[in-house]
Coordinates of all heavy atoms in Angstrom, one line a residue:
M1 N -5.4 -54.5 101.7 CA -6.8 -54.7 102.2 C -7.1 -53.4 102.9 O -6.5 -53.1 103.9 CB -6.8 -55.9 103.0 CG -8.1 -56.2 103.7 SD -9.1 -57.3 103.0 CE -10.6 -57.2 103.9
P2 N -8.3 -52.8 102.6 CA -8.7 -51.6 103.5 C -9.2 -52.0 104.7 O -9.6 -53.2 104.9 CB -9.8 -51.0 102.5 CG -10.1 -52.0 101.4 CD -9.0 -53.0 101.5
T3 N -9.3 -51.1 105.7 CA -9.8 -51.4 107.0 C -11.3 -51.5 106.9 O -12.0 -51.1 106.0 CB -9.4 -50.3 108.0 OG1 -10.0 -49.1 107.5 CG2 -8.0 -50.2 108.0
L4 N -12.0 -51.9 108.0 CA -13.3 -52.2 108.1 C -14.2 -51.0 107.9 O -15.2 -51.0 107.2 CB -13.7 -52.9 109.4 CG -13.1 -54.2 109.7 CD1 -13.6 -54.6 111.1 CD2 -13.5 -55.2 108.7
Y5 N -13.7 -49.9 108.5 CA -14.5 -48.7 108.4 C -14.4 -47.8 107.2 O -15.0 -46.9 107.0 CB -14.3 -47.9 109.7 CG -14.8 -48.6 111.0 CD1 -13.8 -49.2 111.9 CD2 -16.1 -48.7 111.3 CE1 -14.2 -49.9 113.0 CE2 -16.6 -49.5 112.3 CZ -15.7 -50.0 113.2 OH -16.1 -50.7 114.2
T6 N -13.3 -48.1 106.3 CA -13.2 -47.5 105.1 C -14.1 -48.3 104.0 O -14.5 -47.7 103.1 CB -11.7 -47.5 104.6 OG1 -11.2 -48.7 104.6 CG2 -10.9 -46.5 105.5
V7 N -14.3 -49.6 104.4 CA -15.2 -50.3 103.5 C -16.7 -50.0 103.8 O -17.5 -49.5 102.9 CB -15.0 -51.8 103.5 CG1 -16.0 -52.6 102.8 CG2 -13.6 -52.2 103.1
I8 N -17.1 -50.1 105.0 CA -18.5 -49.9 105.4 C -18.4 -48.5 106.1 O -17.8 -48.2 107.1 CB -18.9 -50.9 106.5 CG1 -18.9 -52.3 105.9 CG2 -20.3 -50.5 107.1 CD1 -19.3 -53.3 106.8
R9 N -19.2 -47.6 105.5 CA -19.4 -46.3 105.9 C -20.4 -46.1 107.2 O -20.0 -45.6 108.1 CB -19.7 -45.3 104.8 CG -18.7 -45.2 103.7 CD -18.1 -43.9 103.7 NE -17.0 -43.8 102.6 CZ -17.0 -43.5 101.4 NH1 -18.1 -42.9 100.9 NH2 -15.9 -43.4 100.6
R10 N -21.6 -46.5 106.8 CA -22.6 -46.5 107.9 C -23.8 -47.4 107.5 O -24.0 -47.7 106.3 CB -23.1 -45.0 108.0 CG -23.7 -44.5 106.8 CD -24.1 -43.0 106.8 NE -24.6 -42.5 105.6 CZ -25.9 -42.2 105.4 NH1 -26.8 -42.6 106.5 NH2 -26.4 -41.8 104.3
P11 N -24.6 -47.8 108.3 CA -25.8 -48.5 108.0 C -26.9 -47.5 107.5 O -26.9 -46.4 108.0 CB -26.3 -49.1 109.3 CG -25.7 -48.3 110.5 CD -24.4 -47.7 109.9
L12 N -27.7 -47.9 106.5 CA -28.8 -47.1 106.0 C -29.9 -47.4 106.8 O -30.5 -48.5 106.7 CB -29.0 -47.3 104.5 CG -27.8 -46.7 103.6 CD1 -28.1 -47.1 102.2 CD2 -27.7 -45.3 103.8
I13 N -30.4 -46.4 107.6 CA -31.7 -46.7 108.3 C -32.8 -45.8 107.7 O -33.0 -44.7 107.9 CB -31.3 -46.1 109.7 CG1 -30.1 -46.8 110.3 CG2 -32.6 -46.3 110.6 CD1 -29.6 -46.2 111.7
T14 N -33.4 -46.5 106.8 CA -34.6 -46.0 106.0 C -35.7 -47.0 106.2 O -35.6 -48.2 106.7 CB -34.3 -45.9 104.6 OG1 -34.0 -47.2 103.9 CG2 -33.1 -45.0 104.2
E15 N -36.9 -46.6 105.7 CA -38.1 -47.4 105.9 C -37.9 -48.7 105.1 O -38.2 -49.8 105.5 CB -39.4 -46.6 105.4 CG -40.6 -47.3 105.7 CD -41.8 -46.4 105.4 OE1 -41.7 -45.2 105.4 OE2 -42.9 -47.1 105.2
K16 N -37.4 -48.6 103.8 CA -37.1 -49.7 103.0 C -36.1 -50.7 103.6 O -36.2 -51.9 103.6 CB -36.7 -49.3 101.7 CG -36.5 -50.5 100.7 CD -36.0 -49.9 99.3 CE -35.7 -51.2 98.4 NZ -35.2 -50.7 97.1
G17 N -35.1 -50.1 104.1 CA -33.9 -50.8 104.7 C -34.5 -51.6 106.0 O -34.1 -52.8 106.3
M18 N -35.4 -51.0 106.8 CA -35.9 -51.7 107.9 C -36.8 -52.8 107.5 O -36.8 -54.0 108.1 CB -36.6 -50.8 108.9 CG -35.7 -49.8 109.6 SD -34.6 -50.6 110.8 CE -33.0 -50.2 110.0
T19 N -37.6 -52.6 106.5 CA -38.5 -53.6 105.9 C -37.7 -54.9 105.4 O -38.0 -56.0 105.8 CB -39.4 -53.1 104.9 OG1 -40.1 -52.0 105.3 CG2 -40.4 -54.2 104.3
V20 N -36.7 -54.6 104.6 CA -35.8 -55.6 104.1 C -35.2 -56.4 105.3 O -35.0 -57.6 105.2 CB -34.8 -55.0 103.1 CG1 -33.7 -56.1 102.8 CG2 -35.5 -54.6 101.9
K21 N -34.7 -55.7 106.3 CA -34.0 -56.3 107.5 C -35.0 -57.2 108.1 O -34.6 -58.4 108.5 CB -33.6 -55.2 108.5 CG -32.8 -55.8 109.6 CD -32.4 -54.6 110.5 CE -31.8 -55.1 111.8 NZ -31.3 -54.1 112.8
E22 N -36.2 -56.9 108.3 CA -37.2 -57.7 109.1 C -37.7 -58.9 108.2 O -37.9 -60.0 108.7 CB -38.4 -56.9 109.5 CG -38.0 -55.9 110.5 CD -39.1 -54.8 110.9 OE1 -40.2 -55.0 110.2 OE2 -38.8 -54.0 111.6
T23 N -37.9 -58.7 106.9 CA -38.5 -59.7 106.1 C -37.5 -60.6 105.4 O -37.8 -61.8 105.2 CB -39.5 -59.1 105.1 OG1 -38.7 -58.2 104.3 CG2 -40.6 -58.4 105.8
Q24 N -36.4 -60.2 104.9 CA -35.5 -60.9 104.2 C -34.2 -61.2 104.7 O -33.3 -61.7 104.1 CB -35.3 -60.2 102.7 CG -36.5 -59.9 102.0 CD -36.3 -59.2 100.8 OE1 -35.1 -59.0 100.4 NE2 -37.3 -58.7 100.1
N25 N -34.1 -61.0 106.1 CA -32.8 -61.2 106.8 C -31.6 -60.6 106.1 O -30.5 -61.2 105.9 CB -32.5 -62.7 106.9 CG -31.8 -63.2 108.0 OD1 -31.7 -62.4 109.0 ND2 -31.1 -64.3 108.0
T26 N -31.8 -59.2 105.8 CA -30.8 -58.5 105.0 C -30.5 -57.2 105.6 O -31.3 -56.5 106.1 CB -31.3 -58.4 103.5 OG1 -31.7 -59.6 103.0 CG2 -30.3 -57.6 102.7
L27 N -29.2 -56.8 105.6 CA -28.8 -55.6 106.1 C -28.4 -54.6 105.0 O -27.9 -55.1 103.9 CB -27.5 -55.7 107.1 CG -27.7 -56.6 108.2 CD1 -26.4 -56.9 108.9 CD2 -28.8 -56.0 109.2
V28 N -28.6 -53.3 105.2 CA -28.3 -52.4 104.1 C -27.3 -51.4 104.7 O -27.4 -50.8 105.7 CB -29.5 -51.6 103.6 CG1 -29.2 -50.7 102.4 CG2 -30.6 -52.5 103.3
F29 N -26.1 -51.2 103.9 CA -25.1 -50.3 104.3 C -24.7 -49.4 103.2 O -24.8 -49.8 102.0 CB -23.7 -51.0 104.7 CG -23.9 -52.0 105.9 CD1 -24.2 -53.3 105.7 CD2 -23.9 -51.5 107.1 CE1 -24.3 -54.2 106.8 CE2 -24.0 -52.3 108.3 CZ -24.3 -53.7 108.1
E30 N -24.2 -48.1 103.6 CA -23.4 -47.3 102.6 C -22.0 -47.8 102.7 O -21.5 -47.9 103.7 CB -23.6 -45.9 103.0 CG -22.9 -45.0 102.0 CD -22.9 -43.5 102.4 OE1 -23.8 -43.1 103.2 OE2 -22.1 -42.8 101.9
V31 N -21.5 -48.1 101.6 CA -20.1 -48.5 101.4 C -19.3 -47.7 100.6 O -19.8 -46.8 99.8 CB -20.1 -50.1 101.0 CG1 -20.7 -50.9 101.9 CG2 -20.6 -50.1 99.5
S32 N -18.0 -47.9 100.6 CA -17.1 -47.1 99.7 C -17.3 -47.4 98.2 O -17.7 -48.5 97.9 CB -15.6 -47.5 100.0 OG -14.7 -47.0 99.2
L33 N -17.1 -46.5 97.3 CA -17.4 -46.6 95.9 C -16.4 -47.7 95.3 O -16.7 -48.4 94.4 CB -17.1 -45.3 95.2 CG -18.3 -44.4 95.0 CD1 -17.9 -43.1 94.4 CD2 -19.4 -45.2 94.1
K34 N -15.2 -47.8 96.0 CA -14.1 -48.8 95.4 C -14.3 -50.2 96.1 O -13.6 -51.0 95.7 CB -12.8 -48.2 95.7 CG -12.5 -47.0 94.9 CD -11.1 -46.5 95.1 CE -10.9 -45.1 94.3 NZ -9.6 -44.6 94.5
A35 N -15.2 -50.5 97.0 CA -15.4 -51.6 97.7 C -15.9 -52.7 96.8 O -16.9 -52.4 96.1 CB -16.2 -51.4 99.0
T36 N -15.4 -53.8 96.9 CA -15.9 -55.0 96.2 C -16.8 -55.8 97.0 O -16.9 -55.6 98.3 CB -14.8 -55.9 95.7 OG1 -14.1 -56.5 96.9 CG2 -13.8 -55.2 95.0
K37 N -17.6 -56.6 96.4 CA -18.5 -57.5 97.2 C -17.8 -58.4 98.3 O -18.3 -58.6 99.3 CB -19.3 -58.4 96.3 CG -20.3 -57.6 95.4 CD -21.1 -58.6 94.5 CE -22.0 -57.8 93.6 NZ -22.9 -58.6 92.8
T38 N -16.6 -58.9 97.9 CA -15.8 -59.8 98.8 C -15.4 -59.0 99.9 O -15.5 -59.5 101.1 CB -14.6 -60.3 98.0 OG1 -15.1 -61.0 96.9 CG2 -13.9 -61.4 98.9
E39 N -15.0 -57.7 99.7 CA -14.5 -56.9 100.9 C -15.6 -56.5 101.8 O -15.5 -56.6 103.0 CB -13.8 -55.6 100.4 CG -12.6 -55.8 99.7 CD -12.1 -54.6 99.0 OE1 -12.8 -53.6 98.8 OE2 -10.9 -54.5 98.5
V40 N -16.8 -56.3 101.3 CA -18.0 -55.9 102.0 C -18.4 -57.2 102.8 O -18.7 -57.1 104.1 CB -19.2 -55.5 101.1 CG1 -20.5 -55.4 102.0 CG2 -18.9 -54.3 100.5
K41 N -18.3 -58.4 102.3 CA -18.7 -59.6 103.0 C -17.7 -59.9 104.1 O -18.2 -60.1 105.2 CB -18.7 -60.8 102.0 CG -19.0 -62.1 102.6 CD -18.9 -63.3 101.6 CE -19.2 -64.5 102.3 NZ -19.1 -65.7 101.3
Q42 N -16.4 -59.8 103.9 CA -15.5 -59.9 104.9 C -15.6 -58.9 106.1 O -15.5 -59.2 107.2 CB -14.1 -59.8 104.4 CG -13.7 -61.1 103.5 CD -12.4 -60.9 102.8 OE1 -11.8 -60.0 102.9 NE2 -12.0 -62.0 102.1
A43 N -15.9 -57.7 105.7 CA -16.0 -56.6 106.7 C -17.2 -56.8 107.6 O -17.1 -56.8 108.8 CB -16.1 -55.2 106.1
V44 N -18.3 -57.3 107.0 CA -19.6 -57.5 107.8 C -19.4 -58.8 108.7 O -19.7 -58.7 109.9 CB -20.8 -57.6 106.9 CG1 -22.0 -58.1 107.7 CG2 -21.2 -56.4 106.2
E45 N -18.7 -59.8 108.2 CA -18.5 -61.0 109.0 C -17.6 -60.7 110.2 O -17.9 -61.2 111.2 CB -18.0 -62.1 108.2 CG -19.0 -62.7 107.2 CD -18.5 -63.8 106.3 OE1 -17.2 -64.0 106.3 OE2 -19.3 -64.5 105.8
T46 N -16.6 -59.9 109.9 CA -15.6 -59.7 111.1 C -16.3 -58.6 112.0 O -16.0 -58.7 113.3 CB -14.3 -59.2 110.6 OG1 -14.4 -58.1 109.8 CG2 -13.6 -60.3 109.8
L47 N -17.0 -57.6 111.5 CA -17.4 -56.6 112.4 C -18.6 -57.1 113.3 O -18.7 -56.7 114.5 CB -18.0 -55.4 111.5 CG -18.2 -54.1 112.2 CD1 -17.0 -53.6 112.9 CD2 -18.8 -53.1 111.2
F48 N -19.6 -57.8 112.7 CA -20.7 -58.3 113.4 C -20.7 -59.6 113.9 O -21.6 -60.2 114.5 CB -22.0 -58.0 112.6 CG -22.2 -56.5 112.4 CD1 -22.2 -56.0 111.0 CD2 -22.7 -55.7 113.3 CE1 -22.3 -54.6 110.8 CE2 -23.0 -54.3 113.1 CZ -22.8 -53.8 111.8
K49 N -19.6 -60.4 113.4 CA -19.5 -61.8 113.9 C -20.7 -62.8 113.4 O -21.3 -63.5 114.3 CB -19.3 -61.9 115.3 CG -18.0 -61.4 115.8 CD -17.8 -61.3 117.2 CE -16.4 -60.7 117.7 NZ -16.3 -59.3 117.1
V50 N -21.1 -62.5 112.1 CA -22.3 -63.4 111.6 C -21.7 -63.9 110.3 O -20.6 -63.6 109.7 CB -23.4 -62.4 111.2 CG1 -24.1 -61.9 112.5 CG2 -23.1 -61.3 110.3
K51 N -22.4 -64.9 109.7 CA -22.2 -65.5 108.5 C -23.0 -64.8 107.3 O -24.2 -64.7 107.5 CB -22.4 -67.0 108.5 CG -21.6 -67.8 109.5 CD -20.1 -67.8 109.0 CE -19.3 -68.5 110.0 NZ -17.9 -68.4 109.8
V52 N -22.4 -64.5 106.3 CA -23.1 -63.9 105.2 C -23.4 -64.9 103.9 O -22.5 -65.5 103.6 CB -22.3 -62.7 104.7 CG1 -22.8 -62.1 103.4 CG2 -22.2 -61.6 105.7
T53 N -24.6 -64.9 103.5 CA -24.9 -65.7 102.2 C -24.5 -65.0 101.0 O -23.9 -65.5 100.1 CB -26.5 -65.9 102.3 OG1 -26.8 -66.7 103.4 CG2 -26.8 -66.8 101.0
G54 N -25.0 -63.7 100.8 CA -24.6 -63.0 99.5 C -24.6 -61.5 99.8 O -25.2 -60.9 100.8
V55 N -24.1 -60.8 98.8 CA -23.9 -59.4 98.8 C -24.4 -58.8 97.5 O -23.9 -59.3 96.4 CB -22.5 -58.9 99.1 CG1 -22.3 -57.5 99.0 CG2 -22.0 -59.4 100.4
R56 N -25.3 -57.8 97.5 CA -25.6 -57.3 96.1 C -25.3 -55.7 96.4 O -25.6 -55.1 97.5 CB -27.2 -57.3 96.0 CG -27.7 -58.7 95.7 CD -29.1 -58.9 95.6 NE -29.7 -58.6 97.0 CZ -30.8 -58.1 97.1 NH1 -31.7 -57.8 96.1 NH2 -31.3 -57.8 98.4
T57 N -24.7 -55.0 95.4 CA -24.4 -53.7 95.4 C -25.1 -52.9 94.4 O -25.5 -53.4 93.4 CB -22.9 -53.6 95.3 OG1 -22.5 -54.0 94.1 CG2 -22.1 -54.2 96.3
A58 N -25.3 -51.6 94.7 CA -25.9 -50.7 93.7 C -25.2 -49.3 93.8 O -24.9 -48.9 94.9 CB -27.4 -50.5 94.0
T59 N -24.8 -48.8 92.7 CA -24.2 -47.4 92.7 C -25.3 -46.4 92.5 O -25.9 -46.5 91.4 CB -23.1 -47.3 91.6 OG1 -22.2 -48.4 91.9 CG2 -22.5 -45.9 91.6
V60 N -25.4 -45.4 93.3 CA -26.4 -44.3 93.2 C -25.7 -43.2 92.7 O -24.8 -42.7 93.3 CB -27.0 -44.1 94.7 CG1 -28.2 -43.1 94.6 CG2 -27.6 -45.4 95.2
E61 N -26.4 -42.6 91.7 CA -25.7 -41.3 91.1 C -26.2 -40.2 91.9 O -27.3 -40.1 92.3 CB -26.2 -41.2 89.7 CG -25.5 -42.2 88.7 CD -25.9 -42.1 87.3 OE1 -26.4 -40.9 86.9 OE2 -25.7 -43.0 86.4
G62 N -25.3 -39.2 92.1 CA -25.6 -38.0 92.8 C -26.7 -37.1 92.1 O -26.7 -37.0 90.8
K63 N -27.6 -36.5 92.8 CA -28.6 -35.6 92.2 C -27.9 -34.2 92.0 O -27.1 -33.7 92.6 CB -29.7 -35.4 93.2 CG -30.5 -36.8 93.5 CD -31.6 -36.5 94.5 CE -32.3 -37.8 94.8 NZ -33.3 -37.5 95.7
E64 N -28.6 -33.5 91.1 CA -28.2 -32.1 90.9 C -28.9 -31.3 91.9 O -30.1 -31.5 92.3 CB -28.8 -31.6 89.5 CG -28.3 -30.2 89.2 CD -28.9 -29.7 87.9 OE1 -29.8 -30.3 87.4 OE2 -28.4 -28.5 87.5
R65 N -28.1 -30.4 92.5 CA -28.7 -29.5 93.5 C -28.3 -28.1 93.1 O -27.3 -27.8 92.6 CB -28.0 -29.8 95.0 CG -28.5 -31.1 95.5 CD -29.9 -31.0 95.8 NE -30.5 -32.3 96.3 CZ -31.5 -32.7 96.1 NH1 -32.5 -32.0 95.3 NH2 -32.0 -33.8 96.6
R66 N -29.3 -27.1 93.5 CA -29.1 -25.8 93.1 C -29.2 -24.8 94.3 O -30.0 -25.1 95.2 CB -30.2 -25.4 92.1 CG -30.2 -26.2 90.8 CD -31.3 -25.6 89.9 NE -31.1 -24.3 89.5 CZ -30.2 -23.8 88.6 NH1 -29.6 -24.7 87.9 NH2 -30.2 -22.6 88.3
R67 N -28.3 -23.7 94.3 CA -28.5 -22.7 95.2 C -28.6 -21.4 94.5 O -27.6 -20.9 94.0 CB -27.2 -22.7 96.1 CG -27.1 -23.8 97.1 CD -28.0 -23.6 98.3 NE -27.7 -24.7 99.2 CZ -28.6 -25.2 100.0 NH1 -29.9 -24.8 99.8 NH2 -28.3 -26.2 100.8
G68 N -29.8 -21.0 94.2 CA -30.0 -19.9 93.3 C -29.5 -20.2 92.0 O -30.1 -21.1 91.3
K69 N -28.7 -19.4 91.4 CA -28.2 -19.6 90.1 C -27.0 -20.6 89.9 O -26.6 -21.0 88.9 CB -27.7 -18.2 89.4 CG -26.5 -17.7 89.9 CD -26.2 -16.4 89.2 CE -25.0 -15.7 89.8 NZ -24.6 -14.5 89.1
F70 N -26.5 -21.1 91.1 CA -25.4 -21.9 91.1 C -25.9 -23.5 91.2 O -26.8 -23.7 92.0 CB -24.5 -21.7 92.3 CG -24.0 -20.3 92.2 CD1 -24.5 -19.3 93.1 CD2 -23.0 -19.9 91.3 CE1 -24.1 -18.0 93.1 CE2 -22.5 -18.6 91.4 CZ -23.0 -17.7 92.2
A71 N -25.4 -24.2 90.3 CA -25.8 -25.6 90.2 C -24.5 -26.5 90.4 O -23.5 -26.1 90.1 CB -26.5 -25.9 88.9
G72 N -24.9 -27.6 91.1 CA -23.8 -28.6 91.3 C -24.4 -30.0 91.5 O -25.6 -30.1 91.5
Y73 N -23.7 -30.9 91.7 CA -24.1 -32.3 91.9 C -23.6 -32.9 93.2 O -22.4 -32.6 93.7 CB -23.5 -33.2 90.8 CG -24.3 -33.0 89.4 CD1 -23.8 -32.1 88.5 CD2 -25.3 -33.8 89.2 CE1 -24.5 -32.0 87.3 CE2 -26.0 -33.6 88.0 CZ -25.6 -32.6 87.0 OH -26.2 -32.5 85.9
R74 N -24.5 -33.6 93.9 CA -24.0 -34.5 95.0 C -23.1 -35.5 94.6 O -23.3 -36.0 93.4 CB -25.2 -35.0 95.8 CG -26.0 -33.9 96.5 CD -27.1 -34.5 97.4 NE -27.7 -33.5 98.2 CZ -28.9 -33.8 98.9 NH1 -29.4 -35.0 99.0 NH2 -29.3 -32.9 99.6
P75 N -22.3 -36.0 95.4 CA -21.4 -37.1 95.0 C -22.1 -38.4 94.8 O -23.1 -38.7 95.4 CB -20.4 -37.2 96.1 CG -21.0 -36.7 97.3 CD -22.0 -35.5 96.8
D76 N -21.6 -39.3 93.9 CA -22.1 -40.7 93.8 C -21.7 -41.4 95.0 O -20.7 -41.1 95.7 CB -21.5 -41.2 92.5 CG -21.8 -40.5 91.2 OD1 -22.8 -39.8 91.3 OD2 -21.2 -40.9 90.2
W77 N -22.6 -42.4 95.3 CA -22.3 -43.3 96.5 C -22.8 -44.8 96.2 O -23.5 -44.9 95.2 CB -22.9 -42.8 97.7 CG -24.4 -42.5 97.6 CD1 -25.1 -41.6 97.1 CD2 -25.4 -43.3 98.2 NE1 -26.4 -41.7 97.3 CE2 -26.6 -42.7 98.1 CE3 -25.3 -44.4 99.1 CZ2 -27.8 -43.3 98.5 CZ3 -26.5 -45.0 99.5 CH2 -27.7 -44.4 99.2
K78 N -22.4 -45.7 97.0 CA -22.7 -47.0 96.8 C -23.3 -47.6 98.0 O -22.9 -47.4 99.0 CB -21.4 -47.9 96.4 CG -21.6 -49.3 96.0 CD -20.1 -49.8 95.8 CE -20.1 -50.7 94.5 NZ -18.7 -51.2 94.4
K79 N -24.4 -48.4 97.7 CA -24.9 -49.1 98.8 C -24.9 -50.6 98.6 O -24.8 -51.1 97.5 CB -26.4 -48.7 99.2 CG -27.4 -49.0 98.0 CD -28.7 -48.5 98.5 CE -29.8 -48.4 97.3 NZ -31.1 -47.9 97.7
A80 N -24.9 -51.4 99.8 CA -24.8 -52.8 99.6 C -25.9 -53.5 100.5 O -26.1 -53.1 101.6 CB -23.4 -53.3 100.2
Y81 N -26.5 -54.5 99.9 CA -27.5 -55.3 100.5 C -26.8 -56.6 100.9 O -26.4 -57.4 100.1 CB -28.7 -55.7 99.6 CG -29.5 -54.4 99.3 CD1 -29.2 -53.7 98.2 CD2 -30.6 -54.0 100.1 CE1 -30.0 -52.5 97.8 CE2 -31.4 -52.9 99.8 CZ -31.1 -52.2 98.7 OH -31.9 -51.1 98.3
V82 N -26.7 -56.8 102.2 CA -25.9 -58.0 102.7 C -27.0 -59.0 103.3 O -27.6 -58.7 104.3 CB -24.9 -57.6 103.8 CG1 -24.1 -58.7 104.3 CG2 -24.0 -56.5 103.2
R83 N -27.0 -60.2 102.7 CA -27.9 -61.1 103.3 C -27.3 -62.1 104.2 O -26.2 -62.7 103.8 CB -28.6 -62.0 102.0 CG -29.6 -62.9 102.5 CD -30.4 -63.5 101.5 NE -31.5 -64.2 102.0 CZ -32.7 -64.2 101.6 NH1 -33.1 -63.4 100.7 NH2 -33.6 -64.9 102.2
L84 N -27.9 -62.4 105.4 CA -27.2 -63.2 106.3 C -27.8 -64.6 106.1 O -28.9 -64.9 105.7 CB -27.7 -62.8 107.7 CG -27.2 -61.3 108.1 CD1 -27.5 -61.0 109.5 CD2 -25.7 -61.1 107.9
K85 N -27.0 -65.7 106.6 CA -27.5 -67.1 106.6 C -28.7 -67.2 107.5 O -28.9 -66.5 108.5 CB -26.3 -68.0 107.0 CG -25.2 -68.1 106.0 CD -24.4 -69.2 106.2 CE -23.4 -69.3 105.1 NZ -22.4 -70.5 105.4
D86 N -29.5 -68.2 107.2 CA -30.7 -68.5 108.0 C -30.2 -69.0 109.3 O -29.2 -69.7 109.5 CB -31.5 -69.7 107.4 CG -32.2 -69.1 106.1 OD1 -32.4 -68.0 105.9 OD2 -32.4 -70.0 105.2
G87 N -30.9 -68.4 110.4 CA -30.6 -68.7 111.7 C -29.5 -67.9 112.4 O -29.4 -67.9 113.5
E88 N -29.0 -66.9 111.6 CA -28.1 -65.9 112.2 C -28.9 -64.9 112.9 O -30.0 -64.4 112.5 CB -27.2 -65.3 111.2 CG -26.2 -66.1 110.6 CD -25.0 -66.4 111.5 OE1 -24.8 -65.6 112.4 OE2 -24.4 -67.5 111.4
K89 N -28.4 -64.4 114.1 CA -29.0 -63.4 114.8 C -28.7 -62.0 114.2 O -27.5 -61.7 113.8 CB -28.4 -63.4 116.3 CG -29.1 -62.4 117.2 CD -28.5 -62.6 118.6 CE -29.3 -61.7 119.6 NZ -29.0 -60.3 119.4
M90 N -29.7 -61.2 114.0 CA -29.6 -59.9 113.3 C -28.9 -58.9 114.3 O -29.3 -58.8 115.4 CB -30.9 -59.2 113.0 CG -31.6 -60.0 111.9 SD -30.8 -60.0 110.4 CE -31.2 -58.3 109.8
P91 N -27.7 -58.3 113.9 CA -27.1 -57.3 114.7 C -28.0 -56.1 114.9 O -28.7 -55.7 114.0 CB -25.8 -57.0 114.1 CG -26.1 -57.5 112.6 CD -27.1 -58.4 112.7
E92 N -28.0 -55.6 116.1 CA -28.8 -54.4 116.5 C -27.9 -53.2 116.4 O -27.3 -52.9 117.5 CB -29.6 -54.5 117.9 CG -30.6 -55.6 117.7 CD -31.7 -55.3 116.6 OE1 -32.1 -54.0 116.6 OE2 -32.2 -56.2 116.2
Y93 N -27.8 -52.5 115.3 CA -26.9 -51.3 115.3 C -27.8 -50.0 115.5 O -27.4 -49.0 115.4 CB -26.2 -51.2 114.0 CG -26.9 -51.5 112.8 CD1 -27.9 -50.5 112.2 CD2 -26.8 -52.6 112.2 CE1 -28.5 -50.7 111.1 CE2 -27.5 -52.9 110.9 CZ -28.4 -52.0 110.4 OH -29.1 -52.2 109.3
L94 N -29.1 -50.3 115.7 CA -30.1 -49.2 115.8 C -30.7 -49.2 117.2 O -31.5 -49.9 117.7 CB -31.3 -49.5 114.9 CG -32.4 -48.5 114.8 CD1 -31.9 -47.1 114.3 CD2 -33.5 -48.8 113.9
N95 N -29.9 -48.3 118.0 CA -30.4 -48.2 119.5 C -31.2 -46.9 119.7 O -31.8 -46.8 120.8 CB -29.1 -48.2 120.4 CG -28.5 -49.6 120.3 OD1 -29.2 -50.6 120.1 ND2 -27.2 -49.6 120.4
S96 N -31.2 -45.9 118.9 CA -31.7 -44.6 119.3 C -33.2 -44.5 118.9 O -33.7 -43.5 119.4 CB -30.9 -43.6 118.5 OG -31.0 -43.7 117.1
L97 N -33.7 -45.3 118.1 CA -35.1 -45.2 117.7 C -36.0 -46.1 118.5 O -35.8 -47.0 119.1 CB -35.3 -45.6 116.3 CG -34.7 -44.6 115.2 CD1 -34.9 -45.1 113.9 CD2 -35.2 -43.2 115.4

């Protein structure tokens, strides 16, 4: 079993992520490419001490990036949408904005 911080890399703080957080009681995280839905669920429940209803994941392919004549690709990454049970308090991991 991987540790919590190898499963969950960081919260995604985007405009879409904040909208989903407020309207659908869902958190968005960047997670490890090898992480399963069960591992993500267990990590969020132990880290934030909340109950999770469901987890949806999406693998994002890396974009091509160029520096002059040299081309390369950014790495692929995975994001997870974690829905909390009704009545659960939303964890505040966003203190700087």
Side-chain angles (χ1 to χ4, degrees):
M1 171 98 183
T3 63
L4 298 176
Y5 295 106
T6 57
V7 173
I8 297 176
R9 297 244 172 102
R10 64 187 178 99
L12 288 179
I13 302 170
T14 60
E15 189 171 342
K16 180 180 178 182
M18 290 295 114
T19 304
V20 168
K21 182 178 176 183
E22 293 167 1
T23 60
Q24 299 177 13
N25 206 26
T26 301
L27 302 171
V28 186
F29 296 101
E30 179 182 339
V31 296
S32 170
L33 270 173
K34 296 180 181 180
T36 63
K37 292 181 181 184
T38 308
E39 290 172 348
V40 172
K41 179 180 178 179
Q42 291 172 351
V44 170
E45 285 180 344
T46 56
L47 192 63
F48 295 110
K49 296 174 182 53
V50 293
K51 297 291 182 188
V52 174
T53 301
V55 177
R56 294 173 294 153
T57 59
T59 304
V60 181
E61 293 185 12
K63 298 178 181 180
E64 181 184 17
R65 290 295 177 215
R66 300 182 60 83
R67 292 277 186 219
K69 65 179 182 176
F70 302 104
Y73 285 89
R74 287 189 175 170
D76 297 345
W77 57 284
K78 189 182 223 181
K79 65 179 164 180
Y81 292 91
V82 180
R83 184 165 188 138
L84 303 181
K85 285 190 176 178
D86 291 335
E88 286 289 332
K89 186 173 183 289
M90 291 297 277
E92 291 300 326
Y93 49 76
L94 181 64
N95 293 329
S96 61
L97 292 179

